[in-house]
Amino acid sequence: MKNIAIFASGSGTNAENIIRYFTDSEVVKVPLVLSNNRKVGVHERVNKLGIPSFVFSREEFVEGRAVLDKLAEYAIDFIVLAGFMNKISDALLQAFPSKIINIHPALLPKHGGKGMYGMHVHEAVVADGDTESGITIHYINENYDEGDIIFQATCPVAPTDTPEDVATKVHALEYAHYPQVIEKLLR
Ligand code: GAR
């Protein structure tokens, strides 16, 4: 059994989907969610499912110890970013080499990098007139959105699609694929 921690900064629909998927799993357990923001929806969402959420400050994250201690307390083997909007600290990267993955809501290497997250990504896809978008699941390294790609899936973008329409299609891909990819990696 592998213990995973989910890092999230927003509403946490992916975190909830992953927790639900692994509820009765013999492969993966999700004992802990972490966030850099106390005021976002992920807390209520996962606490309702009986999963504790831990909030850390920027200083605690950069310095590393408080987050690393919490991960050790829960015997975390692997880290899953699900809408986490901070750069991963060097301390965390060193403690979890090749054991941190992210989901990006577009087809990297397009629409990646600093400032490209959430709706900004879907706005860029529509502004560029792209005919498709999708998801990229990748390992984390020291540069934003540049780690090795594990999995991609695509969806069509119609000329009439708004960024919200693209977000809906991309979210559907995230829910369908992220838990399965995690399971495959950890099985
Ligand atoms: C997801 O679409 C995820 O791909 C994206 O944020 C959203 C979070 O939604 N992540 C990034 O943009 C990271 N660069 P959620 O909080 O409802 O899971």
Side-chain angles (χ1 to χ4, degrees):
M1 177 74 86
K2 297 274 194 240
N3 285 329
I4 68 173
I6 301 175
F7 281 59
S9 305
S11 83
T13 64
N14 276 285
E16 176 173 356
N17 182 55
I18 293 165
I19 289 165
R20 287 190 185 280
Y21 182 88
F22 289 117
T23 300
D24 297 318
S25 170
E26 285 168 9
V27 181
V28 171
K29 190 167 181 250
V30 189
L32 179 67
V33 170
L34 299 97
S35 181
N36 57 317
N37 193 338
R38 186 175 302 283
K39 295 184 183 146
V40 289
V42 67
H43 302 290
E44 194 185 339
R45 217 178 254 287
V46 307
N47 295 165
K48 258 192 207 156
L49 300 174
I51 311 298
S53 53
F54 174 70
V55 179
F56 53 84
S57 67
R58 176 175 287 274
E59 296 69 39
E60 281 172 333
F61 193 45
V62 173
E63 186 268 329
R65 205 62 262 165
V67 172
L68 290 179
D69 285 351
K70 193 48 91 173
L71 295 171
E73 184 187 329
Y74 284 83
I76 298 300
D77 302 294
F78 196 83
I79 294 174
V80 169
L81 310 183
F84 183 62
M85 305 307 182
N86 268 13
K87 196 159 188 279
I88 291 299
S89 67
D90 291 342
L92 201 54
L93 265 178
Q94 276 159 25
F96 288 83
S98 302
K99 290 179 180 168
I100 310 177
I101 64 169
N102 180 44
I103 191 162
H104 186 78
L107 298 171
L108 291 174
K110 242 192 145 185
H111 307 303
K114 198 167 195 296
M116 288 306 261
Y117 59 87
M119 284 307 291
H120 298 296
V121 176
H122 309 307
E123 282 159 9
V125 165
V126 169
D128 280 9
D130 291 0
T131 55
E132 67 172 9
S133 189
I135 58 169
T136 304
I137 298 170
H138 63 96
Y139 286 103
I140 287 290
N141 68 10
E142 52 290 337
N143 298 320
Y144 268 115
D145 300 331
E146 288 183 15
D148 289 347
I149 291 175
I150 300 161
F151 177 88
Q152 290 186 305
T154 64
C155 59
V157 176
T160 49
D161 277 352
T162 63
E164 288 73 20
D165 295 330
V166 180
T168 302
K169 292 178 187 178
V170 167
H171 263 125
L173 288 178
E174 294 182 331
Y175 304 150
H177 294 289
Y178 206 10
Q180 275 99 331
V181 170
I182 296 165
E183 190 171 38
K184 256 195 202 156
L185 284 174
L186 297 181
R187 192 179 278 285

